[in-house]
Amino acid sequence: MATEIFDKLNVIIDEIESAQPANSQDLESFRIKYLGTKNILKPLSGEIRNIPNEKRRDFGLLINKAKQAAEQKFESIKVALSSAQDEEAASKLDLTAPGEPVELGSRHPIALTMNRIIKIFERIGFVVAEEREIEDDWHNFTAMNTPEDHPARDMQDTFYLKDSTTMLLRTHTSPVQARVMTSQKPPIRIIAPGRVYRNETVSARSHCQFHQVEGLYVDKNVSFADMKQTLLYFAREMFGPDVKIRLRPSFFPFTEPSAEMDVYLGTATEKDYRLTKGTGWLEILGCGMVDPKVLENCGIDSDEYTGFAFGMGIERQALRLYDIADIRSFFENDIRFLKQFSSVM
Ligand code: PHE
């Protein structure tokens, strides 16, 4: 009986020593068989009870020899296999193959248009002021001289935050005027690009979210002529040196006098005909001299200072610039649409 077990063990040791696992799968079966929790040596070591005393020491040594042989074999095969894998990977690496291209995104046409406008004004000394989209009633309306009973304040026109009568999504970029004038001293010369919200029915021509660039210039002796010249400069940079502008009298609670500015694009192309509804004129902004009341609301002495302000819509200019038919495509995030625009600027 005892010799039988010794023979069995010796056979196993031979097996271990001659084993040649050729890949990681074979190696794993080898590990399970000789080193795993249910390895075949375990039941054999239990047989020590049946070994006569004088042979137990030899038996123990043989069991240990088997274990060690299995461990050594396992480690050496493991090392050999992993270096073979490295070599194989290295031999497959083709250093002459062209690299994987990194896909570049593209800028959104609204951002491109906005950046163009910003650059035009930066050239004549305006600096960018960015502010929050969630505003309070005071900055959006009260400071801007918009009376309590003004229709713009109606829930129908303005998105108020849930359960709030004072916090809202700004309806124009004009509250940035109030933010800047209450925190900086004149001379002030800023432009404020950003997103605005109005509760309007979504169609090809209007949307409940859109973008504006606000402008504000406050200093001593700022005149209406300064404003007109600044806006003419802008129109020429944006639409070409031959563009004509016209100012039509208008009304805004925060400017006096107020005007709206149109640029003349003509009706030569079908897109300009459509965009200008057949008139050739495209309305792009509202403007005017900052109402003295607004200066006072913001702590600026209206006897000493005057200013002009303007607010322009971006979407319509982007439609023209990039020949886009429907305002809704700006907000649909359709990759096929967005991919068409340049990734620079
Ligand atoms: N805030 C006005 C609007 O959204 C535009 C405007 C800005 C008019 C500044 C005058 C001065 O229509």
Side-chain angles (χ1 to χ4, degrees):
M1 179 68 194
T3 47
E4 224 175 81
I5 290 180
F6 274 83
D7 287 348
K8 238 185 182 171
L9 258 176
N10 279 317
V11 169
I12 290 176
I13 291 172
D14 282 349
E15 260 174 32
I16 289 174
E17 283 173 346
S18 60
Q20 250 346 306
N23 51 46
S24 53
Q25 257 170 337
D26 289 357
L27 182 65
E28 181 60 5
S29 331
F30 177 90
R31 189 192 64 79
I32 291 167
K33 185 168 179 189
Y34 300 106
L35 298 166
T37 45
K38 290 181 183 160
N39 68 64
I40 63 167
L41 294 170
K42 270 198 181 158
L44 288 178
S45 9
E47 297 284 341
I48 196 153
R49 298 171 267 137
N50 308 321
I51 308 283
N53 271 346
E54 68 278 11
K55 296 232 167 135
R56 282 195 178 172
R57 192 183 124 82
D58 289 344
F59 182 76
L61 286 173
L62 208 56
I63 288 278
N64 276 342
K65 187 177 168 191
K67 276 189 197 160
Q68 276 164 11
E71 271 160 20
Q72 272 168 16
K73 178 67 92 182
F74 177 75
E75 287 305 325
S76 68
I77 299 286
K78 198 165 100 176
V79 170
L81 283 182
S82 80
S83 67
Q85 260 172 8
D86 289 350
E87 261 170 51
E88 197 187 326
S91 72
K92 273 189 191 156
L93 182 67
D94 179 0
L95 294 174
T96 63
E100 299 258 345
V102 179
E103 278 227 35
L104 275 190
S106 54
R107 299 254 185 192
H108 195 283
I110 293 291
L112 288 170
T113 310
M114 216 137 71
N115 286 347
R116 239 173 131 121
I117 295 168
I118 290 169
K119 286 209 170 122
I120 292 171
F121 282 104
E122 276 179 345
R123 285 207 286 279
I124 53 169
F126 283 77
V127 291
V128 171
E130 275 184 307
E131 268 298 342
R132 61 211 73 188
E133 290 176 19
I134 297 175
E135 260 300 354
D136 55 49
D137 184 86
W138 192 83
H139 289 90
N140 196 80
F141 293 128
T142 311
M144 301 318 289
N145 205 27
T146 305
E148 283 297 342
D149 57 358
H150 196 282
R153 291 199 176 203
D154 199 301
M155 296 286 266
Q156 250 58 55
D157 296 298
T158 302
F159 290 116
Y160 285 86
L161 295 207
K162 200 165 176 250
D163 304 327
S164 176
T165 49
T166 52
M167 297 304 287
L168 45 87
L169 298 180
R170 64 180 181 189
T171 58
H172 50 178
T173 41
S174 299
V176 184
Q177 290 189 38
R179 295 248 166 225
V180 170
M181 285 193 283
T182 49
S183 63
Q184 293 174 30
K185 288 197 186 325
I188 289 168
R189 198 158 25 173
I190 57 110
I191 40 166
R195 195 174 294 150
V196 302
Y197 304 85
R198 281 179 209 175
N199 195 356
E200 270 168 36
T201 314
V202 176
S203 72
R205 294 183 63 88
S206 71
H207 208 282
C208 57
Q209 55 168 330
F210 52 100
H211 297 76
Q212 292 187 330
V213 173
E214 190 85 4
L216 174 68
Y217 181 28
V218 181
D219 203 350
K220 290 175 182 159
N221 304 318
V222 175
S223 69
F224 197 92
D226 294 332
M227 179 180 82
K228 202 173 161 188
Q229 199 55 37
T230 305
L231 294 176
L232 178 61
Y233 154 80
F234 165 74
R236 285 181 172 157
E237 292 294 307
M238 192 71 183
F239 297 97
D242 299 327
V243 79
K244 275 188 278 195
I245 63 166
R246 84 178 170 196
L247 290 172
R248 283 176 292 107
S250 184
F251 174 81
F252 299 102
F254 34 90
T255 46
E256 181 59 36
S258 305
E260 275 169 313
M261 187 175 97
D262 304 335
V263 290
Y264 190 72
L265 307 176
T267 51
T269 67
E270 195 195 327
K271 78 171 175 183
D272 283 344
Y273 186 90
R274 258 193 284 129
L275 201 59
T276 64
K277 295 186 191 146
T279 65
W281 292 97
L282 183 69
E283 181 196 320
I284 59 164
L285 59 83
C287 60
M289 298 307 290
V290 180
D291 194 305
K293 187 86 195 307
V294 173
L295 294 174
E296 296 296 335
N297 285 346
C298 297
I300 291 175
D301 185 350
S302 61
D303 290 331
E304 202 180 350
Y305 292 102
T306 52
F308 68 74
F310 57 86
M312 61 176 81
I314 306 308
E315 272 72 5
R316 252 188 244 172
Q317 297 188 59
L319 290 180
R320 168 93 193 331
L321 206 55
Y322 295 106
D323 212 351
I324 297 162
D326 190 323
I327 227 168
R328 286 169 291 196
S329 34
F330 290 133
F331 304 109
E332 280 163 354
N333 288 334
D334 185 333
I335 278 286
R336 291 163 304 176
F337 170 75
L338 295 173
K339 264 206 314 220
Q340 306 169 76
F341 305 98
S342 140
S343 57
V344 292
M345 221 176 118

